[in-house]
Amino acid sequence: NPGLGSQSSLFGIFYYQLAIVIFIMVGGPYHFFEALGRSLEAVPIWEFPKINPGWGELLTIFYTLTGQIFLIALQLGAPVLVAIFMTDIILGLTNRMAPMVNVFEMGFNIKGFLGVLMVYLSLELIVGQMQFWFVDYLRHLEEIVRLFMG
């Protein structure tokens, strides 16, 4: 993945580029630079930040966002995982009923095709969820800046 400078799967690169497009669509750069400017007002570069006592609200936001990352990963991968799991069950039953059929080799082709098909069929759901999460994260970003401003 040239954008991240690391190894990634083909679908990982696809989701990365799709996420960038959706981030731009929901006005993410505008909100990001606005929050960056407000954060520089709240915490100037040449000063140490003055944080009010009671970090509870800020920590709550951080661990909520961290937990939501796992939920997002599950939502992105769930359609493909469920389809491949159901395919494994069907191929396993086929292997029990007709042991002469080479289900192991057949499974490679079926799972690959089914995975791509499920990504295609669930693309609208994935785009909708990405838009929801970006808007939610931008709201949390504004709340974090507000907490630092006092």
Side-chain angles (χ1 to χ4, degrees), residues 40-108:
L40 289 175
E41 290 174 8
V43 184
I45 295 174
W46 54 88
E47 290 182 21
F48 192 74
K50 298 176 185 108
I51 300 172
N52 296 331
W55 284 36
E57 200 172 347
L58 188 63
L59 290 177
T60 302
I61 292 171
F62 285 150
Y63 72 73
T64 300
L65 292 176
T66 303
Q68 286 177 349
I69 289 172
F70 294 110
L71 181 63
I72 293 169
L74 185 64
Q75 286 179 345
L76 288 178
V80 175
L81 289 175
V82 168
I84 289 177
F85 177 70
M86 295 300 290
T87 304
D88 278 339
I89 290 175
I90 292 169
L91 289 174
L93 290 173
T94 304
N95 191 29
R96 287 301 242 177
M97 287 189 228
M100 296 295 210
V101 177
N102 193 357
V103 177
F104 184 69
E105 273 186 44
M106 215 169 45
F108 288 126

Side-chain angles (χ1 to χ4, degrees), residues 12-32:
I13 295 170
F14 172 71
Y15 283 142
Y16 174 75
Q17 291 177 350
L18 181 66
I20 289 173
V21 169
I22 293 171
F23 183 72
I24 292 170
M25 272 181 19
V26 298
Y30 169 75
H31 292 292
F32 175 77

